Amino acid sequence: MTSPLNRRSLLTRSAAAGLLSVPAVSALSGCASGGGDDNTVERGETSEGNPLGVDPDAELEVVIFDGGFGDQYALDAEAIYQESYGQVAHVKTTEIQTRLQSRFNQGDPPDVVNNSGADAMDIAALTRNDQIYDLNELLDAPSLDDPNVTVRDTLMPSTVEMGQFGSQEVWRLNYAFTVYGQWYSRTALERLEVEYPRTWDEMIAVCEAAKRQGMAGWTYAGVYPYYFNFTLYPFIGKIGGPDVLKAIDNLEPNAWRHDAVKAAFEAYHELAARGYVLRGSPGMTHEESQDEWNGYQALFIPNGSWVENESRRNTPEDFDMAVGPPTSLDSSDAMPFETLWASASEPFFVPADAKNPIGGLEFLRVMLGQQSARNFTELVSSLTCVRGAADDLELPPGLASAKQVFEAAGENLLVPRLPDWYKQLNDEEVGGAVAAMMAGDIDADEAINRCQRAADATASDDSVQKFQHV
């Protein structure tokens, strides 16, 4: 074991030695700006019960990503919407971009899109092409449960910010509130007679204990390698502070060559080099890696709080699922152990060219009501972006743990923006470099160089819209 103060130097030496390979509307109809300069929409008469002026006879089309959360929560919200307004055409799919891109190109999109999953549409490109309706009108409308409180004031931290892309417009609503981190089984740790590792020395010791029992320390979704970023990004931020992640988000020169990035990559490479990663992980989907994890084949998996619902059918009754913050490197980290990546996720947006965009806004207002938000949590084991919606609910183990670590983090929250500002860079380039490193194909330095070269290429590509932290 090494002292906390020499962990960085040990990793560097080991690498060198080769060990680590309303607005108000009073008329019957009016107009509101959406994504395009010339976009106008017709609306019905406004009232206390219909503050946005939804046409009560207009149909609504909602497209839901049929992933870890399923679609029952949306069907239930649609039933509430239909009590006051027109019929809802409900579509569920895992192929969002594949099914919708041509409709956007033809100016015939649905009214609400749950833009999630591996085939999600590029939100930055949609904003650049004026294809999304600004949601500020929704946020400034009275909330469903209390007309004296705006929708905006019912939302959890970072929800509004996650919908912004370098401007005051809010292009999307991230409905779930996700805690990202190292997911694990309390039962598995108890069987090994170890505690959750708070430092990297402890992580190595825990993984070694697991290895002696024929169990891997980690597994991950190698087919979707950006899953590793769910722990890697906050790990970098904990080591070097939030400005390191902001520099990466801003595509600053040499941002990926910061000492904190190097330390984080070398630590993760150590997991692979010491044989602590479950064999076959590079070729696994997210579901396959979760099944191995549920089967006690690996201790930790980088994931988000949707995993409890997504893997429910294969989770043993005694598993006792939990999540912890990314393990710290050592005592000289810039941020405390409790630091966490937790933010609004599972994005919804209203297309600018939708036939019934006002109905789309109202549907989201319904989803942000306490009834729908509590129903979502009970159905899919996830928090929502609605403040207090999970209070007094009996939560399953994983979600209860997520709520606990979120509360423990306090203001020590990190929200990387690279995944949504530059989707291809995050998913393919950075994800690919990390995947190659974790598979043992390249070392930490080469993985960092690949990330920096890809970031530089993105920064110099005039066809890619750029965003900046303000």
Side-chain angles (χ1 to χ4, degrees), residues 162-344:
M162 288 298 292
Q164 294 174 319
F165 290 78
S167 66
Q168 295 303 308
E169 290 85 1
V170 180
W171 300 121
R172 68 182 184 186
L173 171 76
N174 285 12
Y175 187 64
F177 197 82
T178 298
V179 173
Y180 302 92
Q182 293 167 186
W183 287 78
Y184 66 100
S185 160
R186 290 191 181 94
T187 301
L189 292 188
E190 289 172 0
R191 289 174 180 174
L192 291 174
E193 299 181 342
V194 296
E195 300 289 334
Y196 184 85
R198 296 174 63 93
T199 68
W200 207 252
D201 285 333
E202 293 176 4
M203 171 61 75
I204 296 302
V206 168
C207 289
E208 187 63 31
K211 187 177 182 180
R212 288 195 297 267
Q213 297 299 318
M215 185 179 187
W218 285 67
T219 188
Y220 64 97
V223 173
Y224 306 111
Y226 57 85
Y227 269 60
F228 240 120
N229 298 344
F230 298 152
T231 55
L232 181 60
Y233 287 167
F235 188 33
I236 291 170
K238 289 173 76 166
I239 296 170
D243 287 345
V244 180
L245 291 181
K246 288 181 179 179
I248 290 174
D249 292 341
N250 289 341
L251 304 179
E252 294 180 12
N254 293 316
W256 284 96
R257 296 193 172 99
H258 192 282
D259 287 345
V261 178
K262 182 176 177 63
F265 272 59
E266 289 176 345
Y268 271 55
H269 190 223
E270 186 176 10
L271 296 175
R274 289 181 179 270
Y276 297 149
V277 178
L278 181 66
R279 188 182 300 247
S281 292
M284 292 181 188
T285 66
H286 59 298
E287 292 176 328
E288 289 168 341
S289 62
Q290 289 162 189
D291 287 347
E292 295 293 331
W293 173 61
N294 284 160
Y296 294 108
Q297 299 303 304
L299 284 178
F300 302 109
I301 189 169
N303 224 310
S305 45
W306 62 80
V307 67
E308 185 167 36
N309 185 65
E310 190 170 59
S311 64
R312 178 182 297 175
R313 72 182 186 281
N314 291 327
T315 302
E317 291 185 6
D318 67 351
F319 197 70
D320 200 4
M321 190 179 296
V323 62
T327 296
S328 299
L329 191 67
D330 57 44
S331 61
S332 64
D333 286 356
M335 301 184 74
F337 165 75
E338 291 79 11
T339 301
L340 196 68
W341 179 2
S343 63

Side-chain angles (χ1 to χ4, degrees), residues 92-158:
K92 65 177 181 179
T93 180
T94 59
E95 301 176 325
I96 300 297
Q97 180 167 322
T98 300
R99 294 188 60 171
L100 297 184
Q101 187 65 64
S102 62
R103 292 186 58 183
F104 274 81
N105 294 343
Q106 296 164 9
D108 181 35
D111 302 305
V112 180
V113 178
N114 171 202
N115 188 43
S116 190
D119 194 37
M121 303 187 75
D122 187 339
I123 188 74
L126 292 172
T127 63
R128 182 172 65 251
N129 295 329
D130 296 326
Q131 291 178 292
I132 304 184
Y133 197 100
D134 180 7
L135 298 181
N136 272 301
E137 181 179 353
L138 165 67
L139 300 179
D140 293 333
S143 64
L144 197 69
D145 301 294
D146 186 347
N148 297 313
V149 177
T150 66
V151 170
R152 188 187 305 270
D153 290 335
T154 67
L155 303 179
M156 294 275 275
S158 85

Side-chain angles (χ1 to χ4, degrees), residues 1-132:
M1 296 292 287
T2 62
S3 67
L5 295 179
N6 67 8
R7 159 58 59 181
R8 284 178 175 81
S9 59
L10 172 68
L11 289 169
T12 303
R13 289 198 305 271
S14 298
L19 170 62
L20 309 180
S21 35
V22 173
V25 178
S26 57
L28 274 174
S29 65
C31 65
S33 76
D37 294 336
D38 299 325
N39 186 69
T40 60
V41 296
E42 296 296 322
R43 68 178 77 222
E45 184 175 1
T46 61
S47 64
E48 182 177 348
N50 184 8
L52 294 171
V54 181
D55 180 347
D57 298 320
E59 293 185 355
L60 184 77
E61 183 182 4
V62 177
V63 175
I64 298 295
F65 172 66
D66 188 22
F69 295 142
D71 68 332
Q72 185 59 50
Y73 73 92
L75 290 168
D76 293 343
E78 290 163 12
I80 297 174
Y81 177 93
Q82 289 177 141
E83 290 176 1
S84 301
Y85 307 109
Q87 292 296 306
V88 177
H90 176 93
V91 178
K92 65 177 181 179
T93 180
T94 59
E95 301 176 325
I96 300 297
Q97 180 167 322
T98 300
R99 294 188 60 171
L100 297 184
Q101 187 65 64
S102 62
R103 292 186 58 183
F104 274 81
N105 294 343
Q106 296 164 9
D108 181 35
D111 302 305
V112 180
V113 178
N114 171 202
N115 188 43
S116 190
D119 194 37
M121 303 187 75
D122 187 339
I123 188 74
L126 292 172
T127 63
R128 182 172 65 251
N129 295 329
D130 296 326
Q131 291 178 292
I132 304 184

